[in-house]
């Protein structure tokens, strides 16, 4: 981990409370929006892991992690890791 996960989650929760809301995808459930593999990557992204650490943790290639992250950004309508992490905190992705 680059940062203590509890500290990162607390900082993201604080930022999520203050941040303007980004447009939400039109969906009823996070489970319907992201695949299980994408959810695993999003969880690790929200914990502050870099792509190489995620790949090692999930036994995936870095290219596969990059693809999952690109799909997460598209599906959540976000443009960067911080927005994706904030989305995860807002939606209590654990």
């Amino acid at each position: 981990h680059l940062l203590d996960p509890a500290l990162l989650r607390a900082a993201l929760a604080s930022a999520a409370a203050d941040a303007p809301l980004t447009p939400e995808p039109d969906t009823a459930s996070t489970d319907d929006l992201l695949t299980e593999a994408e959810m695993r990557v999003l969880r690790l992204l929200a914990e502050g892991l870099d792509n190489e650490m995620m790949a090692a943790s999930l036994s995936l290639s870095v290219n596969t992690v990059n693809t999952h992250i690109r799909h997460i950004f598209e599906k959540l309508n976000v443009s960067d890791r911080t927005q994706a992490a904030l989305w995860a905190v807002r939606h209590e992705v654990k």
Side-chain angles (χ1 to χ4, degrees):
H1 289 83
L2 297 175
L3 296 172
D4 178 288
L7 180 62
L8 179 60
R9 200 163 270 282
L12 286 171
S14 175
D18 297 335
L21 293 175
T22 55
E24 295 290 334
D26 190 19
T27 184
S29 168
T30 303
D31 294 338
D32 295 337
L33 184 62
L34 300 177
T35 66
E36 183 56 38
E38 291 164 350
M39 289 294 290
R40 287 191 297 267
V41 169
L42 181 59
R43 284 184 202 104
L44 294 178
L45 186 150
E47 289 179 15
L49 272 67
D50 65 23
N51 292 11
E52 291 78 19
M53 295 166 106
M54 284 189 252
S57 176
L58 298 171
S59 299
L60 299 172
S61 73
V62 174
N63 284 340
T64 299
V65 169
N66 290 338
T67 298
H68 286 317
I69 290 173
R70 188 178 73 247
H71 292 162
I72 290 166
F73 287 5
E74 290 170 359
K75 290 178 178 182
L76 300 184
N77 193 28
V78 299
S79 59
D80 60 38
R81 296 172 80 90
T82 302
Q83 290 178 353
L86 289 171
W87 190 96
V89 170
R90 283 188 185 126
H91 292 85
E92 300 177 357
V93 173
K94 297 181 186 202

